[in-house]
Amino acid sequence: MNYILFDGAVRNSLLPFTYTRPVADIRIGILTIREKWEKYLGFTTTTLTEDYLEEKYPMVELEENIMISGAVLPTAELVSQIKDLKENQAISKDEEIIAFYTTDAQDEVNFDTYDVQPFESDLIQLKHTWDIFSLNNVAIEADFEFLTRGRTSQPIPSTVNCINREQIFFEEGVDISFATLNASTGPIYIGKNAIIMEGTLVRGPFSLGDDSVLKMGAKIYGATTVGPMCKVGGEVNNSVIFGYSSKGHEGYLGNAVLGEWCNLGADTNNSNLKNNYAEVKLWSYETNRFAKTGLQFCGLMMGDHSKCGINTMFNTGTVVGVNANIFGGNFPRNFIPSFSWGGSAGFTVYKMDKVNEVAKAVYKRKHLEYDEREQNILMHIFEMTEKYRNF
């Protein structure tokens, strides 16, 4: 069977992270949503997403296909029900279609003609950007159980202080000494060739991706995910860092999501609680105004390729778009459009020639190529987000 993950209407509520990726490539828990589906299904997947992302994330359609919402995290029960789908059958959750059978001969899909089967059990489903960190605890626990079932962790060095060792799992090549890992509040998963330097304190649930580094004296509170090829120091609480990003120095990051290729300068801090303890509002790309989150704790949402200078201060509930470059004293505005250059004193447009120059250098540091395909994606985002840059 051919499986295709589709974005659906939820894509717009997950901006700015879905500017640069399909919904299914958001990281929550240990793995991205796509990685979860592929491991559960035992097949690779392709994607139905925006036209400008298709070159990087193509869709392969065969005679028979099953379409799955990229915002839904798999469970064994859901996967079993999906694999049993036949022609003109679909699965719904809370009256929303989350999977359906289709063929290449169908010009359109009319669910009024489908046998729609409800899925009765609980599911994790992303609907808003803040779900990425607020649901990260259950996502880590589910991924940990799935990935470590029937496997044995690599040995944990004797210099490491462990609490609830049974809920700590090391992949091959982990380099760690004189750190404290406390899994009494949730599991701790350390990926291949990751480094945890001396003096680090970690309280689960926590996941550290392949080839990532926790620097000396880092203080990590769950539920936190650090994706692959990242460097993290200072204090981090209930945050998700997708990958290839750095928060390498002191400073606080809490109830936050960072995309890929981000960098926070030394002593960058974000507020995650308003002084009056009021509900936090976040910029909504759907309504072009600030929307209620229902949360008292909500910090920073930063899209791919965005960076900030040393001593940057982000106010509670700040949304930063793609490829913004922020610097200077005082708090910048709490919605910073994509391709902005500046800070509290004002912004100008971050021009594409400079964007490409920096991206090329950053990719090279990770031994990757910033190719024409990546440039075309960012150029498209630059053009489509112009309406927000009223500087």
Side-chain angles (χ1 to χ4, degrees), residues 118-272:
F119 185 78
E120 304 291 355
S121 300
D122 292 337
L123 283 176
I124 303 173
Q125 186 172 1
L126 296 186
K127 296 181 179 179
H128 307 283
T129 53
W130 56 87
D131 292 338
I132 299 170
F133 71 77
S134 62
L135 299 175
N136 198 43
N137 58 335
V138 289
I140 290 177
E141 290 171 2
D143 282 354
F144 184 89
E145 196 278 330
F146 180 78
L147 290 173
T148 65
R149 187 187 305 142
R151 302 176 62 212
T152 302
S153 169
Q154 294 296 305
I156 301 174
S158 60
T159 61
V160 179
N161 181 29
C162 293
I163 302 171
N164 199 20
R165 182 181 292 261
E166 294 76 17
Q167 287 289 290
I168 300 172
F169 193 94
F170 285 9
E171 298 287 0
E172 295 179 359
V174 174
D175 181 357
I176 183 174
S177 59
F178 297 101
T180 295
L181 305 179
N182 181 358
S184 64
T185 51
I188 294 174
Y189 177 90
I190 310 300
K192 292 180 181 179
N193 303 315
I195 299 172
I196 300 180
M197 295 183 180
E198 51 272 27
T200 296
L201 305 173
V202 176
R203 175 180 284 264
F206 174 68
S207 170
L208 184 64
D210 296 353
D211 301 297
S212 284
V213 178
L214 291 185
K215 300 184 75 175
M216 287 194 295
K219 300 179 287 294
I220 312 295
Y221 299 85
T224 289
T225 293
V226 176
M229 297 289 289
C230 294
K231 289 186 179 180
V232 172
E235 184 177 1
V236 180
N237 175 45
N238 190 198
S239 296
V240 176
I241 303 174
F242 285 0
Y244 305 95
S245 293
S246 293
K247 182 212 171 298
H249 305 284
E250 294 300 319
Y252 178 73
L253 183 71
N255 304 102
V257 181
L258 301 187
E260 294 184 342
W261 306 105
C262 297
N263 187 75
L264 304 186
D267 203 32
T268 291
N269 292 278
N270 82 257
S271 167
N272 64 341

Side-chain angles (χ1 to χ4, degrees), residues 320-381:
V320 179
V322 173
N323 241 310
N325 198 307
I326 305 144
F327 52 87
N330 298 319
F331 290 98
R333 56 195 290 189
N334 53 0
F335 168 54
I336 300 173
S338 299
F339 301 92
S340 298
W341 175 281
S344 60
F347 286 95
T348 58
V349 177
Y350 191 6
K351 303 269 182 77
M352 279 304 301
D353 58 341
K354 295 296 182 183
V355 165
N356 290 331
E357 181 182 322
V358 171
K360 184 177 180 180
V362 170
Y363 272 60
K364 186 176 181 179
R365 283 168 56 90
K366 302 289 188 182
H367 307 290
L368 296 171
E369 181 186 2
Y370 177 64
D371 57 21
E372 185 177 357
R373 185 179 64 181
E374 298 291 343
Q375 292 180 47
N376 290 340
I377 290 173
L378 291 185
M379 186 66 210
H380 188 92
I381 300 167

Side-chain angles (χ1 to χ4, degrees), residues 62-74:
L62 302 181
E63 287 186 18
E64 299 176 297
N65 310 279
I66 290 181
M67 310 288 290
I68 303 171
S69 170
V72 173
L73 279 58

